[in-house]
Amino acid sequence: MANPKTDPLPFVVFNEIGIIEQLARTRFERVLPDGLKVSHFSVLNHFVRLGGTRSPAELARAFQVTKGAMTNTIQRLEARGLVTVRPDPRDGRGKLVEITPAGRQVREQCVAALGPLLAEVDAAFPREEFARTLPFLQALRAHLDRARDKAPASD
């Protein structure tokens, strides 16, 4: 556990975010439909948020996982009919991934399955707290997102 009295404040904040992520992930995976994992939902959510098509390499970079791990996730989603994979017309060896209508529907089912957890959290904290916290979290995410392009690749 981080020591808020001696550890650097950014470390304490990241430690809290990590614990929150683990607790939320565990609760979320318990309610996901049909054996889906958070990694599967995350890819579907990425497409719903940003639209368009992505190469497996672009998705791997976005999620900061290996190309092999992303290929596995894409194959599982494709087997369920939640994404399509087609050749990239600009690159004969490349592929493009796109969410299907069924993938959008499953993403919506996942969000709906989160309803009770979200209602519980919403009832536990004033909305103003969420509204006040969100800009900081968005700015922190944007900073880390920009900084990752400067970090050496892991694969």
Side-chain angles (χ1 to χ4, degrees), residues 54-58 85-88 91-97:
R54 302 282 184 283
S55 72
E58 289 170 324
V85 180
R86 60 182 166 81
D88 183 343
D91 175 2
R93 297 178 305 159
K95 297 190 182 304
L96 292 175
V97 183

Side-chain angles (χ1 to χ4, degrees), residues 56-84:
E58 289 170 324
L59 289 168
R61 250 188 327 277
F63 286 94
Q64 296 192 327
V65 298
T66 65
K67 291 176 192 160
M70 184 52 66
T71 296
N72 182 281
T73 297
I74 292 167
Q75 287 172 343
R76 290 175 185 270
L77 291 169
E78 184 181 30
R80 292 170 170 242
L82 305 179
V83 298
T84 58

Side-chain angles (χ1 to χ4, degrees), residues 127-143:
R127 290 227 158 200
E128 297 78 32
E129 297 245 0
F130 285 109
R132 225 178 11 255
T133 305
L134 187 58
F136 169 72
L137 292 174
Q138 290 171 325
L140 179 59
R141 175 190 43 82
H143 172 79

Side-chain angles (χ1 to χ4, degrees), residues 28-64:
F28 190 22
E29 283 196 341
R30 287 183 189 150
V31 301
L32 284 175
D34 199 25
L36 282 177
K37 300 291 182 199
V38 170
S39 58
H40 304 146
F41 168 80
S42 297
V43 171
L44 297 176
N45 194 56
H46 182 81
F47 279 114
V48 169
R49 277 185 340 105
L50 301 176
T53 60
R54 302 282 184 283
S55 72
E58 289 170 324
L59 289 168
R61 250 188 327 277
F63 286 94
Q64 296 192 327

